[in-house]
Amino acid sequence: MTRRIPLPRPGRGPPPARLAEMLRVDHAGEMAAVQIYRGQKRVFEAAGRSGIAADMARMEGEEDVHLKRFEALLTEKQVRPTLMTPVWRLAAYGLGVGTALMGEKAAHACTEAVESVIGEHYADQAEEMTDRDPEMAAQFRQFRDEEMAHHDHAIAEGAHEAPAYPVLSAVIKAGCRAAIKISEKV
């Protein structure tokens, strides 16, 4: 599927400013992913569900690799993280705990919803950066593929069978999209 890249917004700024927006958002997203999985893992551990807890721990670790890469890029490019980091950290952990309390299928529905938005986001960024910074574009493509592996795993584990799946998925996706827009600027 070919995605149409949105036209640059008026006032988007020069490429360094756009790269800063990208890095700020991606750092926030990876930090949030770590927190979601951490919250889910703790609920499942407390419930004695070691299999699903181990699955969440594995994905948390994979997201942590991405987070560390964006922490390094923020430092290297001298970009500050979003000012919303404490809010996103708490909200993401709460989302993880909340969906885990709803059950295994809801936890997977959360993963599927988040990763579908993030997969599109990374694909758009890779396309936007292809000519400007091919190395960064390749990094975005790699992370997109890794995020889509989580997405596909969640579907295989029954994400679409979650209670109130259409509503749960729509709300999570809307929250992700809003967080992306907010994190670009603040």
Coordinates of all heavy atoms in Angstrom, one line a residue, residues 24 37 69 83 113 115 123 125-126 136 141 164 167 173 182:
R24 N 11.5 14.4 18.5 CA 10.7 14.6 19.7 C 9.5 13.6 19.8 O 9.3 13.0 20.8 CB 10.2 16.1 19.7 CG 9.9 16.6 21.1 CD 9.6 18.1 21.1 NE 9.5 18.9 19.9 CZ 10.5 19.6 19.4 NH1 11.7 19.6 20.0 NH2 10.3 20.3 18.3
Y37 N 3.7 -1.4 27.8 CA 4.1 -2.8 28.1 C 4.5 -3.0 29.5 O 4.2 -4.1 30.1 CB 5.2 -3.2 27.1 CG 4.8 -3.4 25.7 CD1 5.5 -2.7 24.7 CD2 3.7 -4.2 25.4 CE1 5.1 -2.9 23.4 CE2 3.3 -4.3 24.0 CZ 4.0 -3.7 23.1 OH 3.6 -3.8 21.7
R69 N 17.8 4.5 21.3 CA 18.3 5.1 20.0 C 17.8 6.5 19.9 O 18.6 7.4 19.5 CB 17.8 4.2 18.8 CG 18.2 4.8 17.5 CD 19.7 4.8 17.2 NE 20.0 5.4 16.0 CZ 21.0 6.3 15.8 NH1 21.7 6.7 16.8 NH2 21.2 6.8 14.6
L83 N 7.9 18.5 26.2 CA 7.5 18.9 27.5 C 6.4 18.0 28.1 O 6.2 18.0 29.3 CB 7.1 20.4 27.6 CG 8.2 21.4 27.1 CD1 7.6 22.8 27.0 CD2 9.4 21.3 28.0
A113 N -3.7 -1.3 18.0 CA -4.1 0.1 17.7 C -2.9 1.0 17.7 O -2.7 1.8 16.8 CB -5.2 0.5 18.7
E115 N 0.3 0.3 17.4 CA 1.3 0.0 16.4 C 0.8 0.3 15.0 O 1.6 0.6 14.1 CB 1.8 -1.5 16.5 CG 2.4 -1.8 17.8 CD 3.7 -1.1 18.1 OE1 4.0 -0.1 17.6 OE2 4.4 -1.6 19.0
A123 N 6.3 5.1 8.5 CA 6.4 5.0 7.0 C 6.3 6.4 6.4 O 7.1 6.7 5.5 CB 5.2 4.2 6.5
Q125 N 7.4 9.2 7.8 CA 8.7 9.8 8.1 C 9.8 9.3 7.2 O 10.6 10.1 6.7 CB 9.1 9.6 9.6 CG 8.3 10.4 10.6 CD 8.7 10.2 12.0 OE1 9.2 9.1 12.4 NE2 8.6 11.2 12.8
A126 N 9.8 8.0 7.0 CA 10.8 7.4 6.1 C 10.7 8.0 4.7 O 11.7 8.4 4.1 CB 10.6 5.9 6.1
M136 N 18.7 8.1 8.0 CA 17.5 8.3 9.0 C 16.3 7.6 8.4 O 15.6 7.0 9.2 CB 17.3 9.8 9.2 CG 16.2 10.0 10.3 SD 16.7 9.5 12.0 CE 18.0 10.7 12.3
R141 N 12.4 3.1 8.6 CA 11.8 1.9 8.0 C 12.1 0.6 8.9 O 11.2 -0.2 9.0 CB 12.4 1.7 6.6 CG 11.8 2.6 5.6 CD 12.3 2.3 4.2 NE 11.9 3.3 3.3 CZ 12.6 4.4 2.9 NH1 13.8 4.5 3.4 NH2 12.1 5.3 2.1
A164 N -15.6 -4.8 23.1 CA -15.8 -3.5 22.5 C -14.6 -3.0 21.7 O -14.2 -1.9 21.7 CB -16.0 -2.4 23.6
V167 N -14.5 0.3 19.5 CA -14.5 1.5 20.3 C -13.1 1.7 21.0 O -12.5 2.7 20.9 CB -15.6 1.6 21.4 CG1 -15.4 2.7 22.3 CG2 -17.0 1.6 20.7
K173 N -6.3 4.9 19.0 CA -5.8 5.5 17.8 C -5.9 7.0 17.8 O -4.9 7.7 17.5 CB -6.4 4.9 16.6 CG -6.0 3.5 16.2 CD -6.8 3.0 15.0 CE -6.4 1.5 14.7 NZ -7.1 1.0 13.6
I182 N 0.7 17.0 19.3 CA 1.1 17.8 20.5 C 2.6 17.7 20.7 O 3.2 18.7 20.9 CB 0.3 17.4 21.7 CG1 -1.2 17.7 21.6 CG2 0.9 18.0 23.0 CD1 -2.1 17.0 22.6

